[in-house]
Amino acid sequence: MRNGGVLGGRGASGVRGVRRATVARSALGSLLAALTTLTTLTALATATLTACGAGATEHGSGADVGKGARTGPATTTDPTRIPGVGDRWQRHIPADSRQVVAVYGDGRDSPTATVVLYARQGSAWDRVRSWPAHNGKKGWTTDHHEGDNRSPVGVFTLSDAGGVRKDPGSKLPYTRSPGFAAPRWWAKSYWHDFDYVIAIDYNRVKGTPPNDPTRPEGQGKGGGIWLHMDHGSGTSACVSLSESAMAYLLRTLDPDRHPVVVMGDRADLKRSR
């Protein structure tokens, strides 16, 4: 019994040792498996990042991914065309025009836009300046009518200017008159809208003051559509900009360079036909 007990005790200790060894080996195996998985995942992640970097370097080095993304499209843009304007409206820009005021509306039913001034140097159009702007409070239309609160989409010449304030140095013919003043029954924020005005030649007679009421295509087609000073929200159909932007345009737009405005919501402007 004593010998049996001793043998039995040693047997139990041996079993416990075997079990501990088995558990240790199992834990070691699990750790090795986890390390292998981690190594694999790290390799996959590295490969993925490398692939993204490789894709980005199509436009430049990995360090210039953002710059490449911005400049990439410019390398494929025809410098002889106004950016974002498809064939439908591009062909309406007169061949002798060397200044374009592009009004990019945010959406067909949106009153917000961006105005960009382009100047042609040789055969290429250079971006000069840009400003935030507003257009018709209900957006844009290719069939504008009086009172629809939408700005007309299209290409129009810019021939005449004026306003309540004295001429800031306009190169366009400028008519100063208190007759431009906004009615005082309008909200006060609108009172200075027409301090500076540039007429958009939509349904009007060129060579006359912007506030000339003549409508060659009839009253129903609307008129009196101008670039004018901004009051912070949508207009009846005009395009409005800051005072500084209007002053800059008045001093810059030159009748000898045959300026035009290309205006509409971005989607419509991009159309090819």
Side-chain angles (χ1 to χ4, degrees):
M1 292 295 292
R2 185 173 62 250
N3 291 338
V6 170
L7 291 174
R10 288 178 179 174
S13 177
V15 169
R16 286 193 296 272
V18 170
R19 286 176 178 172
R20 284 196 294 271
T22 301
V23 170
R25 284 196 297 272
S26 177
L28 180 59
S30 297
L31 178 60
L32 289 173
L35 288 172
T36 300
T37 300
L38 179 60
T39 301
T40 302
L41 289 173
T42 301
L44 287 172
T46 302
T48 301
L49 289 172
T50 302
C52 289
T57 57
E58 291 180 4
H59 299 300
S61 67
D64 294 327
V65 171
K67 182 179 179 181
R70 291 193 299 272
T71 59
T75 61
T76 59
T77 299
D78 184 349
T80 66
R81 297 168 63 92
I82 299 298
V85 178
D87 289 343
R88 181 186 185 190
W89 300 115
Q90 197 86 40
R91 59 175 169 259
H92 287 284
I93 299 174
D96 62 354
S97 179
R98 304 185 70 80
Q99 290 180 319
V100 165
V101 177
V103 184
Y104 299 99
D106 288 346
R108 184 179 184 277
D109 300 321
S110 171
T112 57
T114 299
V115 169
V116 181
L117 174 63
Y118 295 96
R120 192 163 68 180
Q121 302 295 333
S123 62
W125 288 101
D126 292 334
R127 182 186 178 109
V128 180
R129 288 199 183 184
S130 67
W131 305 271
H134 287 97
N135 50 266
K137 59 176 66 77
K138 290 188 177 180
W140 298 90
T141 180
T142 54
D143 186 25
H144 174 69
H145 287 82
E146 185 79 23
D148 64 10
N149 290 318
R150 291 181 179 271
S151 297
V153 178
V155 179
F156 310 100
T157 53
L158 299 170
S159 305
D160 302 282
V164 176
R165 295 190 187 179
K166 68 178 183 179
D167 184 350
S170 176
K171 293 183 179 179
L172 297 172
Y174 189 92
T175 301
R176 183 187 185 188
S177 169
F180 284 99
R184 285 306 184 255
W185 49 266
W186 287 9
K188 192 172 183 178
S189 58
Y190 291 71
W191 286 4
H192 295 285
D193 278 15
F194 312 134
D195 282 0
Y196 291 141
V197 165
I198 298 172
I200 294 172
D201 293 334
Y202 171 91
N203 195 21
R204 70 176 299 270
V205 178
K206 297 180 186 180
T208 62
N211 57 353
D212 185 299
T214 306
R215 303 286 180 263
E217 298 179 60
Q219 291 296 124
K221 287 290 290 182
I225 298 175
W226 303 335
L227 300 173
H228 66 68
M229 283 170 51
D230 190 61
H231 55 254
S233 61
T235 69
S236 296
C238 298
V239 174
S240 60
L241 303 94
S242 67
E243 176 182 348
S244 60
M246 284 299 301
Y248 182 87
L249 288 174
L250 284 166
R251 297 186 188 111
T252 304
L253 296 178
D254 186 345
D256 290 338
R257 305 194 75 186
H258 310 284
V260 299
V261 60
V262 180
M263 53 194 280
D265 58 281
R266 291 182 186 271
D268 205 314
L269 287 179
K270 288 180 180 178
R271 291 174 59 183
S272 59
R273 53 183 178 168

